[in-house]
Amino acid sequence: MPSPLFQTNQDYIDLFKMDRRGGIELIHKRHKQYCIDFLLQYYPVREDIEEIYHDGILVLHDKLLDPSFQLTCTIQTYLNTICKNQLFKKINRQKEFSSLSDEFDCDDWFEDEQTQGPGFDRELEVLRDELAKLERRGSKCYELFQLVYFEKYSMEEITDLLDYGTPGNTRNQKYRCLQRLKEHINGTLGRN
Amino acid sequence: MMNVLSELQGYYSMAGTINMDERKMRFQKLSFEAQEFAFDFESLIKQKVSLENIIEKLGKKFSEKDITNLYYTYLKLAGAVEDALVIDEVFERKTEYLVKMIERERLRNHFRKMAKKDEGQLANRMLANIDNKEMQMPKLHSLSDLSEPEVFLKSDKKENPLKSIWIYIGLLVLAFILIYLLFK
């Protein structure tokens, strides 16, 4: 159980495991000011730095969902480091190398966005628009996709969250949703 | 272990395009583990065991996703599933990628709103602090509050003239008493 004072890495991580949205919001709030002040040393535009910070939090969100990820420093140090590296890339500034051998360094960022995803094509464009519509409509299929692909819940957890009865039903529902989506896309693209 | 399913994926994918003799020959060339897995896998499918149960029985060493892909590939080979019902991995990866992009943007917007709300609350707190300080300081009258400056005008009241005389007489008497006592 996380301590109510949320002082250590583990406290934040435990909270995130119990409540992902609440946990990431608290991490965002508690570490923001220090990170922003740290980055302002290198670049004066606060709005740009805030955007980088938001993305840094999203990177941390993805990493915390990866069971193989291990945080080897404090959350604050991690955020400061990855945001600073990303800032330097954006402003085309050379990374500074410290003489301290034990200084933490990390190049984590969005892997899929860095490689621009699976390559842009017409199907992707239509699919993007259709998913956006499903999200706005509050579609159950979209909710399922969100839990599977973004929140990375297991089938068992999703079964409980969405009350699908068994993980098998959940799996079948996911494939039915993908199937309907694909048929709709093919229809829009004029494919047989 | 991943190689076992990859082997079988490759085998089932092309098995529908070759004759039975060649299929048997290619099957013999699969690794022992792949052949063993294929035997268990195909037995379960022939017994009409559901995909969920197949994953439960065989999924301890392999990922659910890989077994599911293999299942659909086999059904396609067996002619039990039409092409249109097979969800290709490429399409699923595109869906996954786009859902992540949409959700990240939703969270970014949420963080931006949180930042604006915090700024608003900070501004309100600062204003409240200023108000509190103003309340604690002594009130300064504004110029408009001040009445006309008092001008000391000569009073119209007539003072009693005898009062002053009696004061002087009293002081003289006191002075005489003091001198008498000094030179006594």
Side-chain angles (χ1 to χ4, degrees):
Chain A
M1 274 292 283
S3 133
L5 295 177
F6 295 107
Q7 290 176 329
T8 67
N9 267 5
Q10 201 53 49
D11 290 336
Y12 289 111
I13 291 170
D14 288 344
L15 175 66
F16 179 79
K17 282 179 185 166
M18 284 182 348
D19 173 7
R20 288 187 187 163
R21 177 56 79 93
I24 204 67
E25 278 184 15
L26 190 68
I27 290 172
H28 177 277
K29 269 191 177 166
R30 289 279 179 92
H31 299 88
K32 182 179 174 187
Q33 199 51 53
Y34 193 91
C35 188
I36 302 278
D37 290 344
F38 172 72
L39 296 175
L40 281 170
Q41 296 173 80
Y42 303 102
Y43 190 69
V45 182
R46 191 184 176 94
E47 280 163 6
D48 292 353
I49 284 175
E50 283 200 7
E51 287 299 311
I52 289 177
Y53 178 73
H54 296 328
D55 281 356
I57 291 289
L58 292 174
V59 170
L60 179 63
H61 174 274
D62 284 356
K63 291 294 179 188
L64 289 176
L65 293 175
D66 180 357
S68 65
F69 176 69
Q70 285 220 334
L71 201 53
T72 53
C73 60
T74 63
I75 290 176
Q76 189 72 69
T77 303
Y78 181 81
L79 287 169
N80 288 4
T81 306
I82 64 170
C83 289
K84 178 183 147 194
N85 287 342
Q86 192 61 21
L87 174 65
F88 277 23
K89 279 181 191 166
K90 278 193 185 310
I91 60 177
N92 290 324
R93 181 168 161 174
Q94 291 294 322
K95 202 195 261 199
E96 293 166 353
F97 291 96
S98 163
S99 57
L100 298 171
S101 59
D102 58 350
E103 190 175 283
F104 177 79
D105 191 24
C106 181
D107 275 327
D108 286 351
W109 206 250
F110 300 118
E111 288 164 7
D112 42 19
E113 285 186 24
Q114 277 174 342
T115 58
Q116 295 181 356
F120 196 82
D121 59 28
R122 178 82 182 117
E123 184 182 65
L124 202 66
E125 190 180 355
V126 171
L127 182 54
R128 184 196 57 203
D129 292 341
E130 187 57 29
L131 284 168
K133 276 186 210 163
L134 291 177
E135 187 264 320
R136 281 194 297 270
R137 263 191 266 143
S139 149
K140 276 284 181 195
C141 277
Y142 184 85
E143 192 181 0
L144 181 52
F145 292 153
Q146 189 249 356
L147 292 172
V148 170
Y149 298 129
F150 184 68
E151 297 287 359
K152 303 245 189 277
Y153 282 109
S154 68
M155 283 295 151
E156 287 73 21
E157 286 167 322
I158 296 173
T159 304
D160 289 336
L161 284 167
L162 299 184
D163 203 19
Y164 277 145
T166 66
N169 287 346
T170 307
R171 213 175 287 114
N172 288 340
Q173 187 60 33
K174 174 189 140 188
Y175 286 113
R176 267 188 237 124
C177 285
L178 280 169
Q179 179 58 35
R180 279 206 295 270
L181 184 61
K182 184 165 184 179
E183 285 169 3
H184 181 84
I185 300 299
N186 285 345
T188 304
L189 291 171
R191 292 176 186 165
N192 291 330
Chain B
M1 282 302 168
M2 270 297 296
N3 289 334
V4 167
L5 294 198
S6 299
E7 274 187 85
L8 286 174
Q9 190 73 30
Y11 169 75
Y12 288 139
S13 297
M14 62 83 188
T17 62
I18 53 178
N19 62 39
M20 184 62 86
D21 289 336
E22 199 171 339
R23 203 186 303 165
K24 278 181 183 170
M25 192 180 69
R26 286 188 188 253
F27 187 82
Q28 297 302 323
K29 286 184 181 176
L30 292 173
S31 66
F32 175 74
E33 289 83 7
Q35 289 184 35
E36 203 178 37
F37 184 91
F39 180 77
D40 292 337
F41 182 67
E42 290 179 31
S43 300
L44 289 171
I45 294 179
K46 279 170 191 158
Q47 291 168 48
K48 298 194 192 304
V49 172
S50 71
L51 173 60
E52 178 197 344
N53 286 335
I54 292 175
I55 289 169
E56 211 175 320
K57 288 179 192 314
L58 301 178
K60 287 184 182 60
K61 293 177 188 172
F62 308 101
S63 77
E64 175 190 315
K65 193 186 95 176
D66 290 332
I67 295 180
T68 305
N69 283 342
L70 192 70
Y71 176 81
Y72 278 106
T73 305
Y74 180 85
L75 290 187
K76 200 175 163 185
L77 163 69
V81 178
E82 291 173 12
D83 280 357
L85 294 180
V86 175
I87 302 297
D88 64 89
E89 199 177 318
V90 172
F91 182 80
E92 188 172 1
R93 290 290 76 78
K94 285 181 184 177
T95 305
E96 179 178 358
Y97 167 75
L98 289 169
V99 167
K100 280 185 185 174
M101 296 304 111
I102 291 171
E103 289 303 307
R104 280 177 193 160
E105 196 52 37
R106 276 215 313 182
L107 263 180
R108 280 189 194 104
N109 287 335
H110 180 68
F111 292 148
R112 286 175 196 134
K113 278 182 194 165
M114 271 170 52
K116 279 198 178 138
K117 193 177 162 190
D118 287 345
E119 275 174 26
Q121 284 175 350
L122 180 64
N124 286 340
R125 275 203 300 272
M126 286 170 67
L127 285 171
N129 279 342
I130 291 169
D131 284 342
N132 280 341
K133 279 182 187 166
E134 278 183 355
M135 279 173 66
Q136 285 164 15
M137 282 174 69
K139 261 193 177 172
L140 298 172
H141 292 284
S142 65
L143 286 175
S144 59
D145 287 346
L146 287 173
S147 50
E148 286 292 325
E150 288 178 13
V151 175
F152 290 96
L153 298 167
K154 277 187 182 171
S155 170
D156 289 329
K157 221 167 145 181
K158 279 188 182 171
E159 284 181 5
N160 189 355
L162 288 177
K163 190 178 171 186
S164 310
I165 294 170
W166 283 114
I167 290 170
Y168 290 135
I169 291 171
L171 284 171
L172 274 171
V173 168
L174 195 61
F176 278 128
I177 292 170
L178 279 170
I179 291 168
Y180 175 75
L181 287 172
L182 277 170
F183 290 102
K184 185 182 173 185

